[in-house]
Amino acid sequence: MDPATFSQLYAEHWWQIYVYMLRRRLSKYDAEDLTEITFVQAWLHKDTYEVREGKGALRWLYRIAHNTYIDYLRVLHPVVSLEAQLTEPSSGQHFEIEDIDALESLIQQLTSIQQTVMRLRYLQQLTTAEIGQRLDIREGSVRGIEFRAIQTLRRVNGQRS
């Protein structure tokens, strides 16, 4: 598949793949990210696409989108409830969630850098070292930002109770 054909495929089907992701109860940001990842994967595996009549392209993209979504879920291992983590201080700063929507709504109350660190740490499951490299900050700074974000989330959750 040449770049022009792929560009047309993207233009014709981006919205359908995006809606597919939204229907999986993802935030609009995650749906956008996973839609883009779907098309990156499609481009990387364009040699596996067989030209067929009808909706073969869309079916192929849905299969890739489904696999992208499953990979995303695999990163989000089943964990302790968000409420338990926020209401019961632990000795370590390990913070896990089972409800992405709940975390997203709480994260909105954090500073921009705290939001970024929390998404990278708990939604993308990156280590503090990886986050530091990605954001070009020291690992200790990442841990400090994460610590303050968790403290803020615990305070906010306490005010709601």
Side-chain angles (χ1 to χ4, degrees):
M1 180 181 311
D2 62 69
T5 304
F6 187 81
S7 179
Q8 182 180 358
L9 182 79
Y10 178 89
E12 289 177 8
H13 299 297
W14 185 91
W15 181 253
Q16 291 161 301
I17 299 302
Y18 175 67
V19 170
Y20 173 86
M21 292 300 181
L22 283 176
R23 288 186 178 153
R24 268 83 220 121
R25 298 185 45 136
L26 297 170
S27 72
K28 74 176 195 171
Y29 303 108
D30 288 337
E32 288 170 358
D33 289 346
L34 291 180
T35 299
E36 293 304 320
I37 291 169
T38 296
F39 280 97
V40 167
Q41 290 299 317
W43 176 253
L44 293 173
H45 298 98
K46 64 186 178 289
D47 297 336
T48 65
Y49 175 67
E50 298 174 18
V51 179
R52 296 182 193 150
E53 296 292 322
K55 297 187 177 190
L58 187 56
R59 204 176 352 237
W60 178 67
L61 288 171
Y62 277 136
R63 188 176 326 117
I64 294 170
H66 175 75
N67 291 339
T68 300
Y69 177 69
I70 295 301
D71 289 345
Y72 171 79
L73 291 179
R74 285 183 181 140
V75 171
L76 303 173
H77 309 289
V79 292
V80 178
S81 77
L82 176 61
E83 273 188 27
Q85 285 291 323
L86 292 177
T87 57
E88 299 173 14
S90 61
S91 57
Q93 277 304 305
H94 197 60
F95 177 83
E96 296 179 323
I97 61 163
E98 66 181 17
D99 186 350
I100 295 171
D101 293 331
L103 179 63
E104 275 297 332
S105 67
L106 287 172
I107 281 179
Q108 298 301 320
Q109 300 174 41
L110 300 173
T111 66
S112 178
I113 188 68
Q114 288 174 337
Q115 288 180 27
T116 301
V117 167
M118 295 299 281
R119 284 187 179 109
L120 291 172
R121 183 79 172 108
Y122 298 103
L123 297 180
Q124 294 186 21
Q125 299 289 310
L126 297 181
T127 65
T128 53
E130 292 168 330
I131 295 168
Q133 288 175 343
R134 185 173 283 187
L135 300 178
D136 195 28
I137 58 177
R138 292 186 331 237
E139 190 175 343
S141 297
V142 172
R143 283 193 297 273
I145 292 166
E146 180 184 355
F147 175 81
R148 286 186 297 282
I150 291 171
Q151 295 305 317
T152 299
L153 291 175
R154 284 186 176 142
R155 269 194 315 278
V156 168
N157 190 55
Q159 291 172 354
R160 290 183 179 177
S161 300

